[in-house]
């Protein structure tokens, strides 16, 4: 049964409120995570608690409990010269890392017009109600190393 300090393997398909598939493990290896370590969204972890191998569930998480609502103030226009140090030409749809104050976070380039570049600092899943269709395929005890690292290992650990 799923409980804290277990490593859970599951297949999942993630969809937004329009039914578009955002991510799926179908045709791929199952996804492993360490339960109780905040590796997955807390509302999903809560629903998985106490479940068993073979259980299937569908969990819908409203945007505000997932990656937050979409914030227009997180969209900014910057001069193209700010991107000169990147070493590669910028394009619409490119995800880059930018330093904002002390923090580095990923931003998406959404528009380039003349010398103006529009960036979006919202999380790519912001503003989306997320539905996870999950099937639990395995549950095992975490190793001491996994508990120490706070995440599940997939085969060998390289850190
Ligand atoms: Zn590790």
């Amino acid at each position: 049964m799923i409980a804290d300090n277990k490593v859970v393997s599951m297949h999942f398909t993630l969809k937004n409120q329009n039914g578009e598939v955002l991510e799926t493990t179908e045709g791929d290896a199952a996804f492993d995570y360490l339960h109780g370590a905040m590796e997955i969204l807390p509302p999903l972890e809560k629903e998985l608690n106490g479940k068993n191998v073979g259980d299937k569930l569908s969990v819908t998480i409203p945007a505000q409990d997932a990656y937050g609502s979409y914030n227009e103030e997180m969209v900014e226009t910057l001069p193209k010269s700010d991107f000169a140090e990147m070493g590669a030409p910028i394009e619409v749809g490119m995800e880059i890392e930018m330093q904002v104050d002390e923090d580095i976070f990923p931003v998406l380039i959404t528009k380039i017009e003349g010398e103006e570049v529009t960036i979006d600092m919202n999380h790519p899943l912001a503003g989306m109600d997320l539905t996870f269709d999950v099937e639990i395929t395995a549950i095992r005890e975490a190793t001491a190393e996994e508990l120490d690292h706070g995440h599940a290992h997939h085969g060998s650990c390289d850190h």
Side-chain angles (χ1 to χ4, degrees), residues 80 83 86-96 107-113 116-120:
K80 214 173 191 174
F83 300 85
M86 290 218 354
I90 52 169
E91 298 171 23
V92 171
M94 198 181 245
E95 201 174 272
I96 59 169
V107 303
L108 183 68
I109 296 173
T110 55
K111 197 163 90 176
I112 303 173
E113 215 168 53
E116 290 194 329
V117 178
T118 305
I119 58 164
D120 190 339

Side-chain angles (χ1 to χ4, degrees), residues 13-109:
T13 296
L14 169 61
K15 293 179 190 151
N16 64 15
Q17 66 269 37
N18 302 323
E20 290 169 87
V21 174
L22 304 171
E23 205 181 330
T24 182
T25 58
E26 211 181 292
D28 221 330
F31 171 81
D32 296 348
Y33 79 94
L34 175 60
H35 195 81
M38 303 272 285
E39 268 204 273
I40 60 172
L41 288 168
L44 177 60
E45 192 168 68
K46 192 165 156 256
E47 290 298 323
L48 285 162
N49 209 32
K51 295 291 188 290
N52 287 289
V53 172
D55 283 353
K56 290 182 184 183
L57 59 158
S58 182
V59 180
T60 297
I61 305 171
Q64 63 265 29
D65 296 330
Y67 293 97
S69 48
Y70 189 84
N71 184 355
E72 292 292 345
E73 286 174 19
M74 301 277 277
V75 177
E76 272 187 48
T77 302
L78 299 170
K80 214 173 191 174
S81 54
D82 281 15
F83 300 85
E85 285 170 16
M86 290 218 354
I90 52 169
E91 298 171 23
V92 171
M94 198 181 245
E95 201 174 272
I96 59 169
E97 298 206 316
M98 283 194 82
Q99 183 158 2
V100 181
D101 300 323
E102 300 286 284
D103 300 313
I104 291 181
F105 57 109
V107 303
L108 183 68
I109 296 173

